């Protein structure tokens, strides 16, 4: 109840501020390639994506430093998963509210879901932030793992011990394997940016980061190719900045521009 009251008061204060001065909120969208409506519609799918990456295969998931390639939803039907995600969240949140009157494990599941959603309220709402960032899950992930831990404790008392032990071993070994895999990729800048560019070929930041590493290693031809990819994605608005990087690369390599 306290959490609901706090959120309601914050929402009321924000609404009052926007009504009095709408440009306070809308001005931030002038430099974005999506509208406030498109951002709100996109967040349902993004939150489902966050959950999937936390719950399913976190070590080999496409989550990473660069998600500037995420395409905003234009309407509820474009792409189609926008409406499906909205309906799915409606069902999940309705179930979470219903669970608060049920047994302890269902209440824990409901709390975990509500905590996850509430922790995303600022960065996944109306503010003109970028659409998608993995680090936004650091706090919300507590709700997910709280719910999973509650299910694990329930299983300890209601499922055969051998099954619980087997699942626990598989979980620990799986997490260790995925962590080792991610560590190998993130162990140095070259592999980090190369993996990012492969996983997200439409991320200009991934290509620019890879180009910077290639410049540092004097791999000038490869760096020029990476800059070409970035220029193709960004378009004319940052052509001058990328052209300057190419000129600098030629100067460092003592090549004719």
């Amino acid at each position: 109840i306290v959490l609901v009251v706090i959120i309601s008061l914050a929402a009321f204060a924000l609404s009052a501020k926007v009504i009095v001065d709408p440009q306070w909120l809308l001005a931030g969208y002038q430099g974005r390639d999506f509208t406030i409506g498109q951002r709100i519609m996109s967040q349902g799918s993004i939150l489902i994506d966050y959950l999937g990456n936390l719950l399913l295969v976190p070590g080999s998931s496409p989550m990473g430093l660069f998600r500037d390639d995420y395409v905003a939803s234009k309407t509820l039907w474009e792409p189609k998963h926008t409406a499906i995600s909205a309906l799915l969240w409606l069902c999940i949140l309705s179930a979470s509210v219903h669970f608060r009157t049920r047994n302890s494990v269902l209440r824990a599941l409901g709390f975990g879901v509500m905590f996850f959603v509430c922790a995303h309220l600022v960065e996944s709402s109306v503010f003109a932030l970028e659409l998608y960032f993995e680090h936004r899950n650091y706090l919300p992930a507590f709700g997910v793992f709280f719910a999973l831990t509650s299910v694990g404790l329930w299983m300890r008392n209601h499922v055969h011990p051998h099954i619980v032990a087997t699942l626990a071993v598989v979980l620990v070994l799986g997490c260790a394997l995925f962590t080792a895999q991610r560590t190998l990729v993130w162990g140095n800048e070259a592999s980090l940016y190369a993996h990012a560019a492969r996983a997200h070929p439409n991320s200009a930041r991934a290509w620019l980061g890879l180009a910077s590493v290639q410049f540092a290693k004097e791999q000038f031809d490869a760096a020029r190719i990476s800059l070409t990819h970035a220029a193709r994605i960004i378009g004319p608005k940052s052509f001058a900045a990328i052209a300057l990087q190419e000129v600098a690369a030629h100067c460092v390599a003592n090549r004719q521009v």
Side-chain angles (χ1 to χ4, degrees):
I1 296 177
V2 174
L3 183 61
V4 173
V5 171
I6 293 174
I7 294 173
S8 299
L9 291 174
F12 176 79
L14 175 62
S15 300
K17 174 65 176 176
V18 172
I19 291 173
V20 173
D21 183 15
Q23 283 304 311
W24 173 78
L25 179 64
L26 298 176
Y29 285 91
Q30 294 178 0
R32 298 294 186 194
D33 56 0
F34 52 85
T35 66
I36 184 172
Q38 291 172 345
R39 188 179 199 282
I40 293 172
M41 287 188 292
S42 301
Q43 291 307 308
S45 302
I46 291 173
L47 290 178
I48 292 293
D49 204 32
Y50 288 160
L51 270 180
N53 286 310
L54 286 171
L55 291 173
L56 300 178
V57 193
S60 59
S61 76
M63 294 179 78
L65 295 176
F66 308 105
R67 290 307 304 264
D68 51 307
D69 59 340
Y70 195 90
V71 179
S73 297
K74 305 303 181 185
T75 68
L76 281 174
W77 318 111
E78 184 186 353
K80 294 180 180 179
H81 60 68
T82 304
I84 296 174
S85 298
L87 181 60
L88 185 58
W89 274 115
L90 180 61
C91 295
I92 292 174
L93 293 176
S94 298
S96 299
V97 173
H98 178 67
F99 285 167
R100 66 186 178 87
T101 61
R102 311 297 290 181
N103 59 47
S104 58
V105 68
L106 291 179
R107 287 200 301 270
L109 282 172
F111 171 81
V113 170
M114 296 302 288
F115 186 95
F116 176 83
V117 172
C118 290
H120 273 295
L121 277 179
V122 173
E123 293 178 310
S124 294
S125 58
V126 297
F127 298 103
L129 303 172
E130 294 194 24
L131 292 174
Y132 193 123
F133 264 121
E134 178 182 0
H135 68 255
R136 293 174 183 169
N137 286 285
Y138 293 161
L139 177 61
F142 169 80
V144 176
F145 297 128
F146 178 87
L148 291 177
T149 301
S150 300
V151 172
L153 293 174
W154 178 86
M155 291 178 62
R156 187 184 64 176
N157 297 323
H158 296 82
V159 180
H160 195 283
H162 290 167
I163 297 177
V164 175
T166 301
L167 290 175
V169 170
V170 170
L171 178 63
V172 171
L173 291 178
C175 288
L177 176 63
F178 294 138
T179 301
Q181 179 190 37
R182 181 56 60 93
T183 302
L184 289 175
V185 174
W186 289 43
N188 63 77
E189 281 190 314
S191 63
L192 170 62
Y193 286 111
H195 176 268
R198 288 195 301 270
H200 300 283
N202 291 319
S203 168
R205 289 177 182 167
W207 287 112
L208 289 173
L210 181 59
S212 297
V213 172
Q214 290 165 336
F215 281 145
K217 293 188 174 186
E218 299 185 356
Q219 299 171 351
F220 300 110
D221 291 332
R224 185 174 183 181
I225 293 174
S226 297
L227 286 178
T228 301
H229 283 297
R232 172 183 57 82
I233 297 166
I234 296 175
K237 61 183 179 181
S238 295
F239 177 79
I242 292 178
L244 285 174
Q245 281 190 279
E246 286 203 52
V247 170
H250 279 78
C251 292
V252 171
N254 196 25
R255 296 181 178 183
Q256 184 176 359
V257 178

